[in-house]
């Protein structure tokens, strides 16, 4: 039985940037520190394999969600970004991942894949696909309904405890209760400080003409981002639109989540400016769609899968904006924890490794918004001076630590 306070796909799953990525918001080194080298490698391998799993599911269930695995390109537009891209490749090598997993693109290779100016170097990994998230989530909902799962839309869970869920109108008994509420978690009683809702915003252009598409040379629908601190992400949709997103919107006091926050004129304008910088051809294109939504961020910025067989309570998420593929891996892991079959997935480092809670207000507000400002000003500093901003990097690292 699924309770959904709005309609299926209302959350980030129905409105994300459609990156189905095998990469996680936690690095191999971070995982090594807490769980050791082998566990770190296994976590990444499972995350990469998740794309095969998703491909099998959408093929078996015939879910038409514009899926295409073209990989992803990470560009660097200044020397600091270059050092970040190089460091990422060295880290992959240090953990035994080879050229097939992650590699530098030569200038020619880059321009054959995606002809954008200003990029001084770029890396490529095949572990990412582009898809239409709303079509995926609707297809999955239909599939589970066909298997007999009851989905109750417009049913808000206000509170839950062991073996019990309370909706706005009813109470319900359940042996197992799983919370999968991501960016909306702070709205549930006793969970105000579990995950902070940070907003990500997106725009989409009208479809590129064949001439514009050939100028760009974007043949294989690779997703694109660059190595700035304030994340941007782009994909070419199946109907040849550029869908471009960015994070960095201000956090709302007391973790508030409201429908009016889903559009943010100032941030959307900023995102459009970034898109026009990255993809010059988009200056000729009209922006036809703007949207946004909350994503869930734990205090340690690391997702987790949690289950307590004694109480039957579980939770998954805190994907920090990288949840399309990770939600699949997390859900499969949770299924094995529930049936207790000792499956290897249940040994992954994110199992039963929840984060501590966020600070109380106004510390949370000051901390998160301060961090966002620092990230943005670091990007300005790096592009102006072509060297790292050591003081701000130090503050950022301290804040992002466990
Ligand atoms: C604009 C944007 C772009 C993104 N781009 C990407 C991307 O390109 N790639 C990527 O990997 N990730 C991306 N993400 C993040 C990704 O979409 C999420 O991590 C992922 O979809 C989370 O899935 P979920 O099912 O856990 O949560 P959600 O999809 O948020 O679903 C939670 C659901 O729970 C419901 N709910 C909440 N509270 C209650 C309650 N009390 N009672 C009942 N129901 C409730 C909500 O209505 C919602 O439908 C993006 C997110 C945003 C907002």
């Amino acid at each position: 039985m699924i309770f959904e306070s709005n309609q299926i796909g209302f959350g980030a799953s129905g409105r994300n940037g459609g990156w189905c990525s095998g990469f996680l918001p936690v690095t191999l080194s971070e995982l090594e520190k807490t769980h050791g080298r082998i566990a770190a490698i296994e976590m990444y391998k499972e995350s990469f394999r998740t794309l095969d799993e998703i491909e099998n599911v959408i093929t078996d269930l015939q879910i038409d969600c514009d899926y295409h695995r073209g990989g992803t390109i990470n560009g660097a537009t200044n020397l600091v970004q270059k050092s970040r891209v190089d460091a990422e490749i060295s880290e992959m090598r240090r953990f035994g991942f080879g050229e097939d997993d992650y590699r530098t693109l030569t200038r020619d290779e880059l321009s054959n894949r995606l002809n954008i100016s200003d990029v001084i170097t770029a890396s490529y990994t095949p572990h990412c696909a582009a898809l239409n998230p709303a079509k995926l989530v609707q297809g999955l909902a239909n599939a589970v309904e066909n298997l007999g799962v009851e989905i109750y839309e417009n049913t808000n869970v206000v509170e839950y405890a062991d073996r019990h869920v309370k909706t706005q109108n009813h109470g319900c008994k359940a042996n197992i209760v799983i919370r999968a509420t991501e960016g909306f978690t702070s709205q549930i009683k006793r969970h105000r400080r579990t995950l902070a809702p940070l907003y990500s915003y997106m725009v989409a252009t009208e479809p590129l003409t064949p001439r514009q598409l050939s100028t760009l040379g974007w043949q294989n629908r690779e997703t694109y981002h660059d190595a700035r601190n304030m994340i941007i992400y782009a994909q070419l949709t199946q109907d040849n639109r550029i869908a471009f997103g960015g994070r960095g919107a201000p956090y709302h006091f007391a973790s508030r989540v409201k429908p009016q926050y889903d559009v943010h004129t100032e941030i959307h304008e900023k995102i459009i400016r970034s898109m026009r910088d990255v993809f010059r051809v988009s200056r000729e294109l009209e922006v036809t769609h703007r949207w946004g939504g909350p994503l869930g961020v734990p205090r340690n910025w690391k997702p987790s899968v949690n289950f307590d067989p004694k109480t039957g309570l579980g939770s998954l998420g805190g994907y920090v904006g990288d949840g399309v593929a990770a939600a699949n891996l997390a859900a499969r892991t949770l299924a094995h924890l529930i049936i207790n079959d000792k499956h290897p997935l249940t040994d992954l480092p994110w199992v039963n490794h929840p984060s501590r809670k966020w600070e109380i207000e106004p510390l949370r507000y000051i901390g998160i918004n301060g961090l966002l400002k620092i990230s943005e000003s670091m990007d300005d500093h790096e592009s102006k001076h072509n060297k790292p901003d050591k003081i701000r990097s130090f503050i950022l690292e301290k804040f992002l630590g466990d």
Side-chain angles (χ1 to χ4, degrees):
M1 200 180 277
I2 296 174
F3 295 133
E4 162 57 57
S5 60
N6 201 289
Q7 65 182 81
I8 288 296
F10 173 77
S13 298
R15 39 172 137 165
N16 61 65
W19 278 51
C20 181
S21 155
F23 283 80
L24 296 159
V26 48
T27 63
L28 282 156
S29 298
E30 285 168 331
L31 288 168
E32 182 185 37
K33 246 185 238 157
T34 49
H35 292 83
R37 180 181 164 84
I38 291 173
I41 294 170
E42 208 37 51
M43 182 80 224
Y44 261 65
K45 282 195 173 158
E46 276 307 337
S47 191
F48 293 163
R49 280 184 210 127
T50 296
L51 266 69
D52 299 332
E53 165 71 21
I54 291 172
E55 257 168 45
N56 290 339
V57 169
I58 60 182
T59 307
D60 286 356
L61 299 176
Q62 297 180 343
I63 298 176
D64 171 13
C65 60
D66 304 346
Y67 182 96
H68 178 77
R69 199 194 300 198
T72 192
I73 296 171
N74 186 12
T77 57
N78 60 47
L79 292 178
V80 188
Q81 290 189 14
K82 179 180 182 309
S83 65
R84 246 176 241 135
V85 170
D86 292 345
E88 217 169 336
I89 294 178
S90 314
E91 163 141 315
M92 293 298 288
R93 295 289 175 277
R94 191 164 77 74
F95 285 88
F97 292 95
E99 291 265 310
D100 289 349
D101 293 304
Y102 207 93
R103 67 186 173 88
T104 309
L105 285 182
T106 63
R107 188 61 239 181
D108 277 356
E109 280 176 315
L110 175 64
S111 48
N112 285 336
R113 285 177 183 273
L114 188 54
N115 193 12
I116 48 178
S117 39
D118 297 340
V119 174
I120 53 174
T121 188
S123 65
Y124 175 78
T125 170
H127 301 301
C128 188
L131 53 74
N132 178 324
K135 286 185 175 177
L136 173 66
V137 73
Q138 199 51 60
L140 290 172
N142 294 342
V144 293
E145 271 192 319
N146 288 339
L147 289 171
V149 175
E150 294 166 61
I151 301 179
Y152 294 91
E153 295 189 313
N154 301 310
T155 306
N156 188 43
V157 173
V158 286
E159 197 176 351
Y160 69 92
D162 314 9
R163 328 274 171 213
H164 191 257
V165 174
K166 193 172 155 201
T167 69
Q168 72 268 37
N169 299 320
H170 298 102
C172 165
K173 284 190 181 152
N175 284 336
I176 310 275
V177 179
I178 303 300
R179 175 178 56 70
T181 48
E182 199 59 0
F184 305 86
T185 304
S186 59
Q187 311 304 296
I188 302 173
K189 215 171 174 179
R190 285 192 285 275
H191 284 284
R192 190 164 286 277
R193 291 164 53 210
T194 304
L195 295 176
L198 291 195
Y199 276 75
S200 202
Y201 289 95
M202 297 202 59
V203 298
T205 66
E206 62 183 317
L208 291 148
T209 62
R211 178 191 60 79
Q212 289 162 336
L213 196 56
S214 97
T215 311
L216 210 48
W218 211 348
Q219 304 292 327
N220 196 28
R221 288 184 61 204
E222 293 89 344
T223 54
Y224 179 79
H225 60 147
D226 61 28
R228 69 184 83 184
N229 295 291
M230 200 61 97
I231 288 171
I232 56 118
Y233 48 94
Q235 73 144 300
L236 180 68
T237 64
Q238 177 136 297
D239 61 350
N240 293 333
R241 296 167 192 272
I242 299 176
F244 193 100
R247 300 208 202 135
Y251 157 82
H252 299 280
F253 191 79
S255 296
R256 285 189 194 110
V257 176
K258 293 184 179 173
Q260 58 264 41
Y261 298 159
D262 290 348
V263 181
H264 194 306
T265 311
E266 198 188 314
I267 300 287
H268 275 122
E269 286 308 316
K270 237 185 205 175
I271 288 172
I272 292 169
R273 281 199 297 278
S274 295
M275 176 178 74
R276 305 232 194 271
D277 279 350
V278 174
F279 300 106
R280 299 250 162 98
V281 70
S282 70
R283 295 174 189 178
E284 302 167 19
L285 296 165
E286 225 168 275
V287 169
T288 51
H289 300 76
R290 296 163 194 240
W291 71 96
L295 39 93
V297 182
R299 178 61 182 87
N300 65 0
W301 300 77
K302 298 179 181 76
S304 63
V305 181
N306 308 290
F307 184 65
D308 179 355
K310 283 197 214 97
T311 59
L313 289 177
S315 65
L316 67 178
Y319 306 112
V320 196
D322 277 317
V324 172
N328 173 296
L329 178 57
R332 280 186 290 129
T333 306
L334 193 52
H336 287 293
L337 286 167
I338 292 168
I339 59 173
N340 192 21
D341 62 354
K342 311 271 182 265
H343 190 278
L345 287 184
T346 62
D347 292 328
L348 291 177
W350 65 352
V351 171
N352 290 326
H353 201 69
S355 167
R356 70 180 162 99
K357 290 212 180 252
W358 280 95
E359 286 77 1
I360 50 166
E361 295 291 22
L363 292 179
R364 187 157 78 241
Y365 180 84
I366 296 166
I368 297 176
N369 285 326
L371 169 90
L372 295 172
K373 282 259 171 287
I374 289 175
S375 301
E376 199 173 351
S377 59
M378 273 170 74
D379 286 328
D380 287 344
H381 178 99
E382 289 169 4
S383 65
K384 258 189 218 132
H385 304 287
N386 244 334
K387 59 178 188 198
D389 182 337
K390 287 195 182 135
I391 298 173
R392 289 191 181 94
S393 297
F394 176 78
I395 301 172
L396 209 63
E397 245 169 59
K398 281 277 162 229
F399 186 87
L400 294 178
D402 283 2

Short mmCIF file of all heavy atoms in Angstrom, two decimals, residues 3-6 10-13 15-19 155-157 180-182 184 188 200-202 233 292-295 319 321-324, ligand 1:
data_model
loop_
_atom_site.label_atom_id
_atom_site.label_comp_id
_atom_site.label_asym_id
_atom_site.label_seq_id
_atom_site.Cartn_x
_atom_site.Cartn_y
_atom_site.Cartn_z
N PHE A 3 0.92 5.45 0.23
CA PHE A 3 0.20 6.71 0.46
C PHE A 3 0.99 7.84 -0.18
O PHE A 3 2.17 8.04 0.14
CB PHE A 3 0.04 7.00 1.95
CG PHE A 3 -0.82 6.00 2.67
CD1 PHE A 3 -0.41 5.44 3.87
CD2 PHE A 3 -2.05 5.63 2.15
CE1 PHE A 3 -1.20 4.51 4.54
CE2 PHE A 3 -2.85 4.70 2.81
CZ PHE A 3 -2.42 4.14 4.00
N GLU A 4 0.34 8.59 -1.03
CA GLU A 4 0.99 9.71 -1.73
C GLU A 4 0.16 10.97 -1.48
O GLU A 4 -1.04 11.00 -1.79
CB GLU A 4 1.08 9.39 -3.23
CG GLU A 4 1.32 10.56 -4.15
CD GLU A 4 2.58 11.37 -3.84
OE1 GLU A 4 3.67 10.80 -3.82
OE2 GLU A 4 2.44 12.61 -3.59
N SER A 5 0.79 11.98 -0.88
CA SER A 5 0.00 13.15 -0.47
C SER A 5 -0.55 13.94 -1.65
O SER A 5 -1.54 14.65 -1.52
CB SER A 5 0.83 14.07 0.42
OG SER A 5 1.95 14.50 -0.29
N ASN A 6 0.04 13.79 -2.80
CA ASN A 6 -0.42 14.54 -3.96
C ASN A 6 -0.79 13.53 -5.05
O ASN A 6 -1.71 12.76 -4.89
CB ASN A 6 0.70 15.51 -4.38
CG ASN A 6 0.18 16.64 -5.21
OD1 ASN A 6 -0.19 16.44 -6.37
ND2 ASN A 6 0.12 17.83 -4.64
N PHE A 10 4.53 13.57 -8.26
CA PHE A 10 4.49 14.98 -7.82
C PHE A 10 5.85 15.42 -7.27
O PHE A 10 6.27 16.56 -7.45
CB PHE A 10 3.41 15.15 -6.74
CG PHE A 10 3.42 16.52 -6.13
CD1 PHE A 10 2.88 17.61 -6.82
CD2 PHE A 10 3.99 16.75 -4.88
CE1 PHE A 10 2.91 18.88 -6.26
CE2 PHE A 10 4.02 18.02 -4.32
CZ PHE A 10 3.48 19.08 -5.02
N GLY A 11 6.55 14.51 -6.60
CA GLY A 11 7.84 14.84 -5.98
C GLY A 11 8.94 14.96 -7.04
O GLY A 11 8.68 15.02 -8.25
N ALA A 12 10.17 15.00 -6.56
CA ALA A 12 11.32 15.17 -7.45
C ALA A 12 11.35 14.10 -8.55
O ALA A 12 11.80 14.37 -9.67
CB ALA A 12 12.61 15.11 -6.63
N SER A 13 10.83 12.91 -8.25
CA SER A 13 10.88 11.83 -9.24
C SER A 13 10.17 12.17 -10.54
O SER A 13 10.50 11.63 -11.59
CB SER A 13 10.27 10.55 -8.67
OG SER A 13 11.01 10.14 -7.57
N ARG A 15 9.88 15.30 -11.73
CA ARG A 15 10.28 16.60 -12.30
C ARG A 15 11.79 16.85 -12.27
O ARG A 15 12.24 17.99 -12.21
CB ARG A 15 9.56 17.73 -11.59
CG ARG A 15 9.41 17.55 -10.09
CD ARG A 15 8.86 18.80 -9.44
NE ARG A 15 7.85 18.54 -8.45
CZ ARG A 15 7.44 19.43 -7.58
NH1 ARG A 15 7.96 20.64 -7.57
NH2 ARG A 15 6.51 19.14 -6.71
N ASN A 16 12.56 15.77 -12.24
CA ASN A 16 14.01 15.99 -12.17
C ASN A 16 14.63 16.17 -13.56
O ASN A 16 13.94 16.15 -14.58
CB ASN A 16 14.68 14.86 -11.38
CG ASN A 16 14.47 13.52 -12.03
OD1 ASN A 16 14.94 13.27 -13.12
ND2 ASN A 16 13.71 12.64 -11.36
N GLY A 17 15.96 16.30 -13.55
CA GLY A 17 16.68 16.57 -14.80
C GLY A 17 16.88 15.35 -15.67
O GLY A 17 17.51 15.45 -16.73
N GLY A 18 16.37 14.19 -15.23
CA GLY A 18 16.43 13.00 -16.05
C GLY A 18 17.82 12.41 -16.23
O GLY A 18 18.07 11.67 -17.17
N TRP A 19 18.69 12.72 -15.30
CA TRP A 19 20.00 12.05 -15.28
C TRP A 19 19.82 10.77 -14.50
O TRP A 19 19.53 10.82 -13.30
CB TRP A 19 21.00 12.88 -14.50
CG TRP A 19 21.66 13.99 -15.18
CD1 TRP A 19 21.06 14.98 -15.89
CD2 TRP A 19 23.06 14.27 -15.18
NE1 TRP A 19 22.01 15.85 -16.33
CE2 TRP A 19 23.25 15.44 -15.90
CE3 TRP A 19 24.17 13.63 -14.61
CZ2 TRP A 19 24.50 16.01 -16.10
CZ3 TRP A 19 25.41 14.19 -14.79
CH2 TRP A 19 25.58 15.36 -15.55
N THR A 155 -3.41 11.48 -0.28
CA THR A 155 -3.51 10.93 1.08
C THR A 155 -2.23 11.29 1.82
O THR A 155 -1.17 10.69 1.59
CB THR A 155 -3.69 9.39 1.03
OG1 THR A 155 -4.81 9.12 0.19
CG2 THR A 155 -3.92 8.81 2.39
N ASN A 156 -2.35 12.28 2.67
CA ASN A 156 -1.17 12.80 3.36
C ASN A 156 -0.93 12.06 4.68
O ASN A 156 -1.83 11.97 5.51
CB ASN A 156 -1.39 14.30 3.63
CG ASN A 156 -0.14 14.94 4.16
OD1 ASN A 156 0.96 14.69 3.67
ND2 ASN A 156 -0.28 15.77 5.19
N VAL A 157 0.27 11.55 4.85
CA VAL A 157 0.61 10.91 6.13
C VAL A 157 1.08 12.02 7.07
O VAL A 157 2.03 12.74 6.77
CB VAL A 157 1.74 9.87 5.94
CG1 VAL A 157 2.23 9.33 7.27
CG2 VAL A 157 1.25 8.74 5.04
N ALA A 180 9.50 7.30 2.48
CA ALA A 180 10.25 7.63 1.26
C ALA A 180 9.79 9.01 0.81
O ALA A 180 9.28 9.19 -0.29
CB ALA A 180 9.98 6.58 0.18
N THR A 181 9.98 9.98 1.67
CA THR A 181 9.36 11.30 1.47
C THR A 181 10.36 12.38 1.08
O THR A 181 9.97 13.54 0.91
CB THR A 181 8.61 11.72 2.75
OG1 THR A 181 9.48 11.50 3.87
CG2 THR A 181 7.35 10.92 2.94
N GLU A 182 11.60 12.04 0.98
CA GLU A 182 12.70 12.88 0.46
C GLU A 182 12.56 14.38 0.80
O GLU A 182 12.58 14.74 1.96
CB GLU A 182 12.82 12.64 -1.05
CG GLU A 182 14.14 13.04 -1.66
CD GLU A 182 15.37 12.33 -1.07
OE1 GLU A 182 15.26 11.49 -0.17
OE2 GLU A 182 16.50 12.65 -1.52
N PHE A 184 10.26 16.33 1.16
CA PHE A 184 9.07 16.75 1.92
C PHE A 184 9.11 16.24 3.36
O PHE A 184 8.18 16.46 4.13
CB PHE A 184 7.80 16.22 1.23
CG PHE A 184 7.71 16.62 -0.22
CD1 PHE A 184 8.32 15.87 -1.20
CD2 PHE A 184 7.03 17.78 -0.59
CE1 PHE A 184 8.26 16.24 -2.54
CE2 PHE A 184 6.97 18.16 -1.93
CZ PHE A 184 7.58 17.40 -2.90
N ILE A 188 6.73 16.21 8.12
CA ILE A 188 6.15 15.14 8.95
C ILE A 188 6.55 15.34 10.41
O ILE A 188 7.70 15.71 10.69
CB ILE A 188 6.64 13.75 8.48
CG1 ILE A 188 6.25 13.54 7.01
CG2 ILE A 188 6.03 12.64 9.32
CD1 ILE A 188 6.84 12.26 6.43
N SER A 200 16.06 22.64 -6.33
CA SER A 200 16.79 22.62 -7.58
C SER A 200 15.80 23.13 -8.63
O SER A 200 14.60 22.86 -8.55
CB SER A 200 17.21 21.19 -7.90
OG SER A 200 18.29 21.14 -8.79
N TYR A 201 16.31 23.88 -9.60
CA TYR A 201 15.41 24.48 -10.60
C TYR A 201 15.88 24.14 -11.99
O TYR A 201 17.08 23.97 -12.24
CB TYR A 201 15.39 26.01 -10.42
CG TYR A 201 14.66 26.42 -9.16
CD1 TYR A 201 15.35 26.67 -7.98
CD2 TYR A 201 13.27 26.51 -9.14
CE1 TYR A 201 14.69 27.02 -6.82
CE2 TYR A 201 12.59 26.88 -7.97
CZ TYR A 201 13.31 27.12 -6.82
OH TYR A 201 12.64 27.46 -5.67
N MET A 202 14.91 24.11 -12.92
CA MET A 202 15.24 23.72 -14.30
C MET A 202 14.51 24.57 -15.32
O MET A 202 13.45 25.12 -15.02
CB MET A 202 14.81 22.28 -14.54
CG MET A 202 15.54 21.28 -13.69
SD MET A 202 15.49 19.66 -14.44
CE MET A 202 16.27 19.92 -16.00
N TYR A 233 23.40 21.05 -14.49
CA TYR A 233 23.26 19.76 -15.17
C TYR A 233 22.36 19.94 -16.39
O TYR A 233 21.42 20.73 -16.37
CB TYR A 233 22.68 18.69 -14.22
CG TYR A 233 21.45 19.16 -13.44
CD1 TYR A 233 20.16 18.91 -13.92
CD2 TYR A 233 21.58 19.86 -12.25
CE1 TYR A 233 19.04 19.34 -13.20
CE2 TYR A 233 20.46 20.30 -11.55
CZ TYR A 233 19.20 20.04 -12.03
OH TYR A 233 18.10 20.48 -11.33
N GLY A 292 10.73 23.54 -10.80
CA GLY A 292 11.70 23.23 -9.75
C GLY A 292 11.05 22.40 -8.67
O GLY A 292 9.86 22.07 -8.75
N GLY A 293 11.81 22.05 -7.67
CA GLY A 293 11.25 21.26 -6.58
C GLY A 293 12.30 20.98 -5.52
O GLY A 293 13.49 21.21 -5.74
N PRO A 294 11.83 20.45 -4.37
CA PRO A 294 12.76 20.19 -3.28
C PRO A 294 13.42 18.81 -3.40
O PRO A 294 12.81 17.85 -3.83
CB PRO A 294 11.85 20.22 -2.05
CG PRO A 294 10.52 19.79 -2.56
CD PRO A 294 10.43 20.18 -4.01
N LEU A 295 14.68 18.78 -2.99
CA LEU A 295 15.36 17.49 -2.86
C LEU A 295 15.80 17.34 -1.40
O LEU A 295 15.91 18.32 -0.68
CB LEU A 295 16.52 17.38 -3.83
CG LEU A 295 17.41 18.59 -4.11
CD1 LEU A 295 18.60 18.58 -3.20
CD2 LEU A 295 17.83 18.55 -5.56
N TYR A 319 19.18 11.71 -1.04
CA TYR A 319 20.03 11.50 -2.22
C TYR A 319 20.75 12.77 -2.69
O TYR A 319 21.51 12.71 -3.66
CB TYR A 319 19.20 10.95 -3.39
CG TYR A 319 18.40 9.71 -3.07
CD1 TYR A 319 17.01 9.75 -3.03
CD2 TYR A 319 19.02 8.50 -2.82
CE1 TYR A 319 16.25 8.63 -2.74
CE2 TYR A 319 18.28 7.36 -2.53
CZ TYR A 319 16.89 7.43 -2.49
OH TYR A 319 16.15 6.33 -2.20
N GLY A 321 20.01 15.16 -4.50
CA GLY A 321 19.90 15.54 -5.91
C GLY A 321 20.43 14.52 -6.90
O GLY A 321 20.49 14.79 -8.09
N ASP A 322 20.81 13.34 -6.41
CA ASP A 322 21.28 12.28 -7.32
C ASP A 322 20.48 11.01 -7.06
O ASP A 322 21.04 9.95 -6.81
CB ASP A 322 22.77 11.96 -7.04
CG ASP A 322 23.69 12.91 -7.73
OD1 ASP A 322 23.44 13.23 -8.90
OD2 ASP A 322 24.68 13.35 -7.10
N GLY A 323 19.16 11.12 -7.14
CA GLY A 323 18.35 10.01 -6.64
C GLY A 323 17.68 9.13 -7.67
O GLY A 323 17.02 8.16 -7.29
N VAL A 324 17.82 9.43 -8.96
CA VAL A 324 17.04 8.65 -9.94
C VAL A 324 17.48 7.18 -9.91
O VAL A 324 16.66 6.28 -9.67
CB VAL A 324 17.14 9.26 -11.36
CG1 VAL A 324 16.50 8.35 -12.39
CG2 VAL A 324 16.47 10.63 -11.38
C1 LIG B 1 14.56 19.95 -10.18
C2 LIG B 1 15.22 18.66 -9.77
C3 LIG B 1 16.13 18.07 -10.63
C4 LIG B 1 16.75 16.87 -10.27
N1 LIG B 1 17.55 16.25 -11.17
C5 LIG B 1 18.03 15.03 -10.92
C6 LIG B 1 18.71 14.30 -11.92
O1 LIG B 1 18.84 14.75 -13.05
N2 LIG B 1 19.21 13.07 -11.59
C7 LIG B 1 19.06 12.53 -10.35
O2 LIG B 1 19.53 11.43 -10.09
N3 LIG B 1 18.34 13.19 -9.39
C8 LIG B 1 17.81 14.40 -9.66
N4 LIG B 1 17.06 15.04 -8.72
C9 LIG B 1 16.80 14.34 -7.45
C10 LIG B 1 15.86 13.16 -7.67
O3 LIG B 1 14.78 13.56 -8.46
C11 LIG B 1 15.39 12.64 -6.32
O4 LIG B 1 16.52 12.32 -5.53
C12 LIG B 1 14.55 11.39 -6.44
O5 LIG B 1 13.56 11.55 -7.44
C13 LIG B 1 13.92 11.08 -5.09
O6 LIG B 1 12.93 10.10 -5.27
P1 LIG B 1 11.98 9.73 -4.06
O7 LIG B 1 10.96 8.80 -4.62
O8 LIG B 1 12.79 9.29 -2.91
O9 LIG B 1 11.32 11.12 -3.62
P2 LIG B 1 10.22 12.01 -4.36
O10 LIG B 1 10.20 11.75 -5.82
O11 LIG B 1 10.40 13.40 -3.88
O12 LIG B 1 8.88 11.42 -3.82
C14 LIG B 1 8.43 11.61 -2.52
C15 LIG B 1 6.92 11.58 -2.61
O13 LIG B 1 6.42 11.51 -1.31
C16 LIG B 1 5.24 12.27 -1.27
N5 LIG B 1 5.06 12.67 0.14
C17 LIG B 1 5.85 13.51 0.83
N6 LIG B 1 5.42 13.63 2.10
C18 LIG B 1 4.34 12.84 2.20
C19 LIG B 1 3.44 12.54 3.26
N7 LIG B 1 3.59 13.09 4.47
N8 LIG B 1 2.41 11.68 3.02
C20 LIG B 1 2.28 11.11 1.80
N9 LIG B 1 3.09 11.36 0.76
C21 LIG B 1 4.11 12.22 0.95
C22 LIG B 1 5.52 13.45 -2.18
O14 LIG B 1 4.32 14.05 -2.65
C23 LIG B 1 6.34 12.83 -3.26
O15 LIG B 1 5.59 12.47 -4.41
C24 LIG B 1 16.46 16.27 -9.01
C25 LIG B 1 15.55 16.87 -8.15
C26 LIG B 1 14.94 18.06 -8.50
C27 LIG B 1 13.97 18.69 -7.56
#
